[in-house]
Amino acid sequence: MEVPFVDLSRAHAAVRSKLHDAAVRVIDSCTYIGGEEVRGFERDLAEWLGVAEAVGTGCATFGLFAAVRSLGIGPGDEVLTTVHTAIATAEAISLSGARVVFCDIDPQTFNMDPEDLRDRITERSKAVVVVHLYGQPADLDGVMEIARESGLKVIEDCAQALGARYKGRYVGTLGDVGVFSFFPSKPLGGFGDGGAVIARDTGLLKWIRMFSNHGREEKYVHQFEGVNSRLDAIQAALLRVCLPHLEEWNRLRREAAHAYSERLSAIDEVQVPAELPGTEPVYHVYCIVVPDRDDLRRYLKERGVSTGIHYPAPLNLQPAYAHLGQGRGHFPRAEYACGHMLSLPLFPGITSVEIRYVCDCIADYFGRG
Ligand SMILES: Cc1ncc(COP(=O)(O)O)c(C=O)c1O
């Protein structure tokens, strides 16, 4: 049997004709930048999240950068984040001119460890970017309490976590700013790049909207220098078709993850993802930790199962951060996780037969077939 790591076509099957109609509608409208499709999606997303407003952006990397800049953060400042994340999180900080300060992870949730965060705060610290990696809500109570004590702003990187809940509330709505990605494999995947930002302070959001559009509200009146990072009309129209299905797609992701965990937690050598009490993850990625990840990966590939690695190295070990001088040994928990994690196939529409097959292969590998 062949089990793909991700198959987007299965979720799309239910909306295929609506997607085609929406694409044709935008093409025929000749409005490709801004316009009613973008405003409509921003309204739909804000309503879905229960917030007043959302701003569409060209991608979440820009959204995070704009979030950092909107808080007045720049050279001489420090922003803390997890060392175990996509480089986009850290790039957004460095691009602002601030110094990125990495924190180690909680080995059970793979998210930022609030105690490690506390230890790394200095008088230069201005904000924390908390990442809900793999769609698992981070320990927000822990992070927010420390942030409050130290006067830090909180940016939630929800690139992988649209629809995940923390104590009944959507992640992204609890910090000062929340940022989402519509990269195709994300919970709400678009058909190219895209992102969105929400914020507690509508003034910040107004600034982010202008920053994403050359510092202007009106054509040819630029209040300040910005960039061009807007959500395209065609992406917005397609995302509007998908958004009403997100809750169901996230439910299917959770169901698949729980089916894996139920079976795999019986194998001593396999660590399955832990869920913090009061959280409802969306499992953008389902990662297990095993003694020899590369060998298991090879074994599964030989049996037709595609897997992924998220991520092969924590950011301190990436050449881009060599200048920080934090080589191997600085973040032992993240370094261990990156060397031992394997992401299993998971996407809306994966069948129970496929999940059972993957689990059977893993059980066989460990001699528990
Ligand atoms: C945790 C995290 N943050 C930020 C991003 C950046 O998202 P985008 O590709 O929309 O710029 C990603 C995308 O991979 C991500 O996984």
Tab-separated table of all heavy atoms in Angstrom, residues 47-103:
chain	number	residue	atom	x	y	z
A	47	GLU	N	-15.051	37.033	11.655
A	47	GLU	CA	-16.279	36.505	12.267
A	47	GLU	C	-16.040	35.085	12.785
A	47	GLU	O	-16.437	34.720	13.883
A	47	GLU	CB	-17.386	36.505	11.212
A	47	GLU	CG	-18.761	36.288	11.798
A	47	GLU	CD	-19.829	36.312	10.706
A	47	GLU	OE1	-19.713	37.117	9.767
A	47	GLU	OE2	-20.754	35.506	10.800
A	48	TRP	N	-15.344	34.294	11.988
A	48	TRP	CA	-15.060	32.894	12.364
A	48	TRP	C	-14.262	32.847	13.672
A	48	TRP	O	-14.505	32.016	14.534
A	48	TRP	CB	-14.272	32.244	11.227
A	48	TRP	CG	-14.204	30.753	11.260
A	48	TRP	CD1	-15.087	29.874	10.701
A	48	TRP	CD2	-13.183	29.957	11.880
A	48	TRP	NE1	-14.675	28.584	10.935
A	48	TRP	CE2	-13.507	28.602	11.656
A	48	TRP	CE3	-12.029	30.253	12.597
A	48	TRP	CZ2	-12.734	27.552	12.119
A	48	TRP	CZ3	-11.252	29.194	13.070
A	48	TRP	CH2	-11.608	27.862	12.825
A	49	LEU	N	-13.301	33.782	13.800
A	49	LEU	CA	-12.453	33.813	14.996
A	49	LEU	C	-13.117	34.548	16.160
A	49	LEU	O	-12.628	34.481	17.290
A	49	LEU	CB	-11.120	34.506	14.668
A	49	LEU	CG	-10.129	33.711	13.814
A	49	LEU	CD1	-9.029	34.625	13.266
A	49	LEU	CD2	-9.497	32.579	14.624
A	50	GLY	N	-14.188	35.273	15.873
A	50	GLY	CA	-14.855	36.044	16.924
A	50	GLY	C	-14.104	37.309	17.281
A	50	GLY	O	-14.089	37.724	18.455
A	51	VAL	N	-13.426	37.916	16.303
A	51	VAL	CA	-12.704	39.175	16.546
A	51	VAL	C	-13.271	40.260	15.635
A	51	VAL	O	-14.029	39.969	14.704
A	51	VAL	CB	-11.174	39.021	16.323
A	51	VAL	CG1	-10.591	38.001	17.289
A	51	VAL	CG2	-10.862	38.625	14.870
A	52	ALA	N	-12.878	41.508	15.901
A	52	ALA	CA	-13.472	42.618	15.161
A	52	ALA	C	-12.955	42.710	13.727
A	52	ALA	O	-13.685	43.100	12.813
A	52	ALA	CB	-13.186	43.932	15.899
A	53	GLU	N	-11.687	42.361	13.528
A	53	GLU	CA	-11.087	42.614	12.215
A	53	GLU	C	-9.907	41.685	11.969
A	53	GLU	O	-9.220	41.275	12.914
A	53	GLU	CB	-10.581	44.078	12.195
A	53	GLU	CG	-10.180	44.572	10.840
A	53	GLU	CD	-9.569	45.981	10.883
A	53	GLU	OE1	-9.653	46.648	11.935
A	53	GLU	OE2	-9.012	46.384	9.852
A	54	ALA	N	-9.694	41.364	10.712
A	54	ALA	CA	-8.502	40.607	10.298
A	54	ALA	C	-7.933	41.298	9.067
A	54	ALA	O	-8.676	41.878	8.277
A	54	ALA	CB	-8.866	39.169	9.967
A	55	VAL	N	-6.607	41.226	8.920
A	55	VAL	CA	-5.945	41.833	7.755
A	55	VAL	C	-5.267	40.726	6.954
A	55	VAL	O	-4.430	39.979	7.502
A	55	VAL	CB	-4.876	42.867	8.203
A	55	VAL	CG1	-4.071	43.368	7.005
A	55	VAL	CG2	-5.541	44.040	8.910
A	56	GLY	N	-5.619	40.589	5.697
A	56	GLY	CA	-4.963	39.612	4.828
A	56	GLY	C	-3.585	40.107	4.440
A	56	GLY	O	-3.372	41.309	4.235
A	57	THR	N	-2.628	39.165	4.350
A	57	THR	CA	-1.253	39.523	3.972
A	57	THR	C	-0.754	38.525	2.922
A	57	THR	O	-1.370	37.485	2.699
A	57	THR	CB	-0.311	39.475	5.198
A	57	THR	OG1	-0.337	38.146	5.739
A	57	THR	CG2	-0.732	40.459	6.272
A	58	GLY	N	0.393	38.841	2.345
A	58	GLY	CA	0.951	37.969	1.309
A	58	GLY	C	1.426	36.635	1.857
A	58	GLY	O	1.495	35.641	1.136
A	59	CYS	N	1.775	36.601	3.145
A	59	CYS	CA	2.234	35.362	3.798
A	59	CYS	C	2.321	35.651	5.297
A	59	CYS	O	2.245	36.807	5.715
A	59	CYS	CB	3.596	34.917	3.263
A	59	CYS	SG	4.902	36.131	3.516
A	60	ALA	N	2.503	34.584	6.071
A	60	ALA	CA	2.618	34.767	7.524
A	60	ALA	C	3.989	35.317	7.913
A	60	ALA	O	4.112	35.989	8.939
A	60	ALA	CB	2.369	33.441	8.243
A	61	THR	N	5.007	35.043	7.101
A	61	THR	CA	6.338	35.586	7.421
A	61	THR	C	6.238	37.109	7.492
A	61	THR	O	6.721	37.733	8.448
A	61	THR	CB	7.372	35.175	6.346
A	61	THR	OG1	7.323	33.767	6.182
A	61	THR	CG2	8.770	35.598	6.730
A	62	PHE	N	5.586	37.697	6.487
A	62	PHE	CA	5.390	39.147	6.529
A	62	PHE	C	4.526	39.533	7.728
A	62	PHE	O	4.795	40.526	8.416
A	62	PHE	CB	4.749	39.676	5.235
A	62	PHE	CG	4.259	41.084	5.434
A	62	PHE	CD1	5.144	42.152	5.389
A	62	PHE	CD2	2.927	41.328	5.757
A	62	PHE	CE1	4.709	43.446	5.661
A	62	PHE	CE2	2.490	42.616	6.018
A	62	PHE	CZ	3.375	43.685	5.974
A	63	GLY	N	3.465	38.775	7.985
A	63	GLY	CA	2.566	39.098	9.106
A	63	GLY	C	3.324	39.173	10.425
A	63	GLY	O	3.101	40.075	11.235
A	64	LEU	N	4.243	38.234	10.622
A	64	LEU	CA	5.034	38.226	11.864
A	64	LEU	C	5.981	39.423	11.907
A	64	LEU	O	6.128	40.079	12.942
A	64	LEU	CB	5.830	36.917	11.960
A	64	LEU	CG	4.997	35.659	12.228
A	64	LEU	CD1	5.803	34.402	11.918
A	64	LEU	CD2	4.508	35.630	13.684
A	65	PHE	N	6.606	39.700	10.774
A	65	PHE	CA	7.517	40.855	10.686
A	65	PHE	C	6.747	42.142	10.981
A	65	PHE	O	7.173	42.979	11.791
A	65	PHE	CB	8.140	40.866	9.276
A	65	PHE	CG	8.899	42.113	8.930
A	65	PHE	CD1	9.878	42.624	9.765
A	65	PHE	CD2	8.646	42.762	7.728
A	65	PHE	CE1	10.586	43.778	9.424
A	65	PHE	CE2	9.348	43.910	7.373
A	65	PHE	CZ	10.311	44.425	8.230
A	66	ALA	N	5.585	42.274	10.360
A	66	ALA	CA	4.765	43.475	10.565
A	66	ALA	C	4.319	43.563	12.027
A	66	ALA	O	4.268	44.661	12.602
A	66	ALA	CB	3.555	43.443	9.636
A	67	ALA	N	4.011	42.415	12.628
A	67	ALA	CA	3.579	42.402	14.034
A	67	ALA	C	4.695	42.946	14.923
A	67	ALA	O	4.464	43.796	15.793
A	67	ALA	CB	3.208	40.978	14.448
A	68	VAL	N	5.928	42.463	14.685
A	68	VAL	CA	7.062	42.921	15.499
A	68	VAL	C	7.263	44.424	15.301
A	68	VAL	O	7.367	45.187	16.265
A	68	VAL	CB	8.357	42.137	15.125
A	68	VAL	CG1	9.563	42.694	15.859
A	68	VAL	CG2	8.190	40.650	15.431
A	69	ARG	N	7.261	44.854	14.037
A	69	ARG	CA	7.464	46.284	13.745
A	69	ARG	C	6.345	47.149	14.327
A	69	ARG	O	6.573	48.261	14.809
A	69	ARG	CB	7.542	46.507	12.230
A	69	ARG	CG	8.845	46.081	11.571
A	69	ARG	CD	9.978	47.069	11.828
A	69	ARG	NE	9.592	48.445	11.522
A	69	ARG	CZ	9.669	49.032	10.339
A	69	ARG	NH1	10.153	48.355	9.310
A	69	ARG	NH2	9.291	50.281	10.162
A	70	SER	N	5.113	46.640	14.279
A	70	SER	CA	3.964	47.434	14.742
A	70	SER	C	4.063	47.745	16.233
A	70	SER	O	3.475	48.702	16.716
A	70	SER	CB	2.649	46.708	14.448
A	70	SER	OG	2.471	45.618	15.338
A	71	LEU	N	4.815	46.899	16.945
A	71	LEU	CA	4.967	47.105	18.389
A	71	LEU	C	6.130	48.049	18.699
A	71	LEU	O	6.507	48.216	19.865
A	71	LEU	CB	5.166	45.746	19.081
A	71	LEU	CG	3.936	44.820	19.003
A	71	LEU	CD1	4.303	43.395	19.417
A	71	LEU	CD2	2.794	45.346	19.869
A	72	GLY	N	6.698	48.635	17.651
A	72	GLY	CA	7.776	49.614	17.849
A	72	GLY	C	9.103	48.969	18.191
A	72	GLY	O	9.983	49.616	18.767
A	73	ILE	N	9.234	47.687	17.847
A	73	ILE	CA	10.458	46.945	18.190
A	73	ILE	C	11.468	47.076	17.058
A	73	ILE	O	11.109	47.012	15.880
A	73	ILE	CB	10.098	45.463	18.455
A	73	ILE	CG1	9.269	45.367	19.735
A	73	ILE	CG2	11.351	44.588	18.531
A	73	ILE	CD1	8.596	44.036	19.946
A	74	GLY	N	12.738	47.261	17.414
A	74	GLY	CA	13.774	47.404	16.393
A	74	GLY	C	15.165	47.216	16.983
A	74	GLY	O	15.318	46.549	18.021
A	75	PRO	N	16.174	47.790	16.355
A	75	PRO	CA	17.560	47.625	16.797
A	75	PRO	C	17.728	47.947	18.287
A	75	PRO	O	17.137	48.913	18.783
A	75	PRO	CB	18.330	48.618	15.915
A	75	PRO	CG	17.487	48.744	14.679
A	75	PRO	CD	16.061	48.630	15.136
A	76	GLY	N	18.502	47.112	18.974
A	76	GLY	CA	18.737	47.313	20.410
A	76	GLY	C	17.765	46.528	21.268
A	76	GLY	O	17.996	46.342	22.462
A	77	ASP	N	16.685	46.052	20.664
A	77	ASP	CA	15.686	45.271	21.415
A	77	ASP	C	15.940	43.771	21.245
A	77	ASP	O	16.612	43.349	20.303
A	77	ASP	CB	14.273	45.578	20.902
A	77	ASP	CG	13.882	47.038	21.118
A	77	ASP	OD1	14.376	47.642	22.093
A	77	ASP	OD2	13.093	47.558	20.314
A	78	GLU	N	15.352	43.012	22.157
A	78	GLU	CA	15.424	41.546	22.055
A	78	GLU	C	14.005	40.984	22.022
A	78	GLU	O	13.118	41.488	22.721
A	78	GLU	CB	16.159	40.960	23.268
A	78	GLU	CG	17.637	41.289	23.268
A	78	GLU	CD	18.398	40.760	24.487
A	78	GLU	OE1	17.748	40.201	25.406
A	78	GLU	OE2	19.627	40.912	24.508
A	79	VAL	N	13.825	39.960	21.200
A	79	VAL	CA	12.531	39.267	21.132
A	79	VAL	C	12.800	37.782	21.313
A	79	VAL	O	13.670	37.209	20.640
A	79	VAL	CB	11.819	39.536	19.783
A	79	VAL	CG1	10.514	38.767	19.718
A	79	VAL	CG2	11.569	41.033	19.597
A	80	LEU	N	12.059	37.171	22.226
A	80	LEU	CA	12.286	35.765	22.551
A	80	LEU	C	11.339	34.873	21.757
A	80	LEU	O	10.166	35.233	21.539
A	80	LEU	CB	12.050	35.537	24.054
A	80	LEU	CG	12.955	36.386	24.945
A	80	LEU	CD1	12.151	37.501	25.601
A	80	LEU	CD2	13.632	35.538	25.995
A	81	THR	N	11.853	33.729	21.345
A	81	THR	CA	10.989	32.748	20.688
A	81	THR	C	11.585	31.354	20.861
A	81	THR	O	12.690	31.196	21.378
A	81	THR	CB	10.764	33.084	19.195
A	81	THR	OG1	9.666	32.302	18.718
A	81	THR	CG2	11.989	32.779	18.334
A	82	THR	N	10.838	30.355	20.438
A	82	THR	CA	11.322	28.979	20.546
A	82	THR	C	12.384	28.694	19.493
A	82	THR	O	12.295	29.184	18.363
A	82	THR	CB	10.151	27.988	20.387
A	82	THR	OG1	10.678	26.665	20.217
A	82	THR	CG2	9.288	28.298	19.185
A	83	VAL	N	13.344	27.864	19.855
A	83	VAL	CA	14.401	27.496	18.909
A	83	VAL	C	13.909	26.419	17.948
A	83	VAL	O	14.544	26.162	16.927
A	83	VAL	CB	15.659	27.039	19.701
A	83	VAL	CG1	15.457	25.636	20.304
A	83	VAL	CG2	16.915	27.091	18.848
A	84	HIS	N	12.760	25.819	18.283
A	84	HIS	CA	12.231	24.713	17.465
A	84	HIS	C	10.997	25.216	16.712
A	84	HIS	O	9.871	25.111	17.193
A	84	HIS	CB	11.874	23.543	18.398
A	84	HIS	CG	11.390	22.328	17.687
A	84	HIS	ND1	12.008	21.811	16.582
A	84	HIS	CD2	10.338	21.516	17.931
A	84	HIS	CE1	11.354	20.738	16.175
A	84	HIS	NE2	10.332	20.542	16.968
A	85	THR	N	11.250	25.795	15.543
A	85	THR	CA	10.177	26.362	14.741
A	85	THR	C	10.676	26.527	13.315
A	85	THR	O	11.855	26.293	13.028
A	85	THR	CB	9.706	27.717	15.325
A	85	THR	OG1	8.654	28.249	14.508
A	85	THR	CG2	10.827	28.744	15.407
A	86	ALA	N	9.773	26.938	12.438
A	86	ALA	CA	10.177	27.276	11.074
A	86	ALA	C	11.015	28.554	11.134
A	86	ALA	O	10.754	29.427	11.975
A	86	ALA	CB	8.944	27.504	10.215
A	87	ILE	N	11.951	28.672	10.232
A	87	ILE	CA	12.854	29.841	10.289
A	87	ILE	C	12.087	31.156	10.177
A	87	ILE	O	12.531	32.192	10.669
A	87	ILE	CB	13.965	29.748	9.215
A	87	ILE	CG1	15.038	30.821	9.486
A	87	ILE	CG2	13.406	29.847	7.805
A	87	ILE	CD1	16.293	30.700	8.653
A	88	ALA	N	10.903	31.122	9.563
A	88	ALA	CA	10.108	32.343	9.375
A	88	ALA	C	9.904	33.086	10.702
A	88	ALA	O	9.942	34.327	10.737
A	88	ALA	CB	8.756	32.002	8.771
A	89	THR	N	9.691	32.344	11.777
A	89	THR	CA	9.436	32.972	13.079
A	89	THR	C	10.617	33.864	13.475
A	89	THR	O	10.432	35.005	13.901
A	89	THR	CB	9.232	31.887	14.166
A	89	THR	OG1	8.390	30.866	13.669
A	89	THR	CG2	8.660	32.477	15.432
A	90	ALA	N	11.813	33.313	13.333
A	90	ALA	CA	13.015	34.049	13.741
A	90	ALA	C	13.376	35.130	12.725
A	90	ALA	O	13.845	36.215	13.095
A	90	ALA	CB	14.165	33.068	13.928
A	91	GLU	N	13.162	34.825	11.442
A	91	GLU	CA	13.451	35.834	10.401
A	91	GLU	C	12.674	37.115	10.678
A	91	GLU	O	13.196	38.227	10.509
A	91	GLU	CB	13.010	35.322	9.027
A	91	GLU	CG	13.938	34.307	8.400
A	91	GLU	CD	13.334	33.703	7.138
A	91	GLU	OE1	12.084	33.576	7.043
A	91	GLU	OE2	14.096	33.337	6.256
A	92	ALA	N	11.412	36.951	11.067
A	92	ALA	CA	10.551	38.113	11.287
A	92	ALA	C	11.130	39.023	12.364
A	92	ALA	O	11.018	40.246	12.289
A	92	ALA	CB	9.152	37.645	11.681
A	93	ILE	N	11.753	38.395	13.359
A	93	ILE	CA	12.359	39.174	14.448
A	93	ILE	C	13.615	39.876	13.940
A	93	ILE	O	13.775	41.089	14.084
A	93	ILE	CB	12.688	38.244	15.644
A	93	ILE	CG1	11.397	37.626	16.196
A	93	ILE	CG2	13.477	38.994	16.714
A	93	ILE	CD1	11.609	36.468	17.158
A	94	SER	N	14.499	39.107	13.310
A	94	SER	CA	15.777	39.675	12.849
A	94	SER	C	15.553	40.770	11.816
A	94	SER	O	16.275	41.776	11.811
A	94	SER	CB	16.666	38.583	12.252
A	94	SER	OG	16.851	37.553	13.185
A	95	LEU	N	14.572	40.586	10.939
A	95	LEU	CA	14.309	41.599	9.903
A	95	LEU	C	13.953	42.954	10.504
A	95	LEU	O	14.186	43.994	9.887
A	95	LEU	CB	13.159	41.142	8.995
A	95	LEU	CG	13.523	40.148	7.895
A	95	LEU	CD1	12.247	39.626	7.222
A	95	LEU	CD2	14.432	40.791	6.858
A	96	SER	N	13.394	42.941	11.708
A	96	SER	CA	13.020	44.209	12.351
A	96	SER	C	14.252	44.933	12.901
A	96	SER	O	14.157	46.089	13.316
A	96	SER	CB	12.047	43.951	13.509
A	96	SER	OG	12.762	43.425	14.624
A	97	GLY	N	15.389	44.230	12.939
A	97	GLY	CA	16.603	44.806	13.512
A	97	GLY	C	16.803	44.380	14.957
A	97	GLY	O	17.864	44.586	15.541
A	98	ALA	N	15.781	43.746	15.554
A	98	ALA	CA	15.917	43.267	16.942
A	98	ALA	C	16.744	41.982	16.947
A	98	ALA	O	16.936	41.343	15.915
A	98	ALA	CB	14.538	43.002	17.546
A	99	ARG	N	17.211	41.617	18.145
A	99	ARG	CA	17.993	40.387	18.287
A	99	ARG	C	17.046	39.261	18.682
A	99	ARG	O	16.217	39.415	19.586
A	99	ARG	CB	19.034	40.623	19.388
A	99	ARG	CG	19.965	39.495	19.659
A	99	ARG	CD	20.899	39.908	20.800
A	99	ARG	NE	21.190	38.764	21.646
A	99	ARG	CZ	22.180	37.913	21.400
A	99	ARG	NH1	22.966	38.079	20.388
A	99	ARG	NH2	22.381	36.884	22.207
A	100	VAL	N	17.191	38.128	17.995
A	100	VAL	CA	16.359	36.974	18.340
A	100	VAL	C	17.021	36.221	19.491
A	100	VAL	O	18.230	35.986	19.476
A	100	VAL	CB	16.106	36.066	17.101
A	100	VAL	CG1	17.384	35.536	16.500
A	100	VAL	CG2	15.176	34.912	17.445
A	101	VAL	N	16.223	35.901	20.508
A	101	VAL	CA	16.723	35.142	21.666
A	101	VAL	C	15.946	33.835	21.709
A	101	VAL	O	14.723	33.826	21.885
A	101	VAL	CB	16.518	35.938	22.977
A	101	VAL	CG1	16.938	35.103	24.184
A	101	VAL	CG2	17.307	37.245	22.922
A	102	PHE	N	16.675	32.734	21.511
A	102	PHE	CA	16.008	31.432	21.451
A	102	PHE	C	15.790	30.830	22.837
A	102	PHE	O	16.591	31.038	23.748
A	102	PHE	CB	16.849	30.457	20.614
A	102	PHE	CG	16.874	30.785	19.144
A	102	PHE	CD1	18.083	30.869	18.459
A	102	PHE	CD2	15.693	30.996	18.443
A	102	PHE	CE1	18.114	31.163	17.102
A	102	PHE	CE2	15.710	31.288	17.085
A	102	PHE	CZ	16.915	31.370	16.415
A	103	CYS	N	14.698	30.064	22.952
A	103	CYS	CA	14.378	29.333	24.182
A	103	CYS	C	14.233	27.857	23.840
A	103	CYS	O	13.820	27.506	22.727
A	103	CYS	CB	13.042	29.791	24.762
A	103	CYS	SG	12.976	31.541	25.097
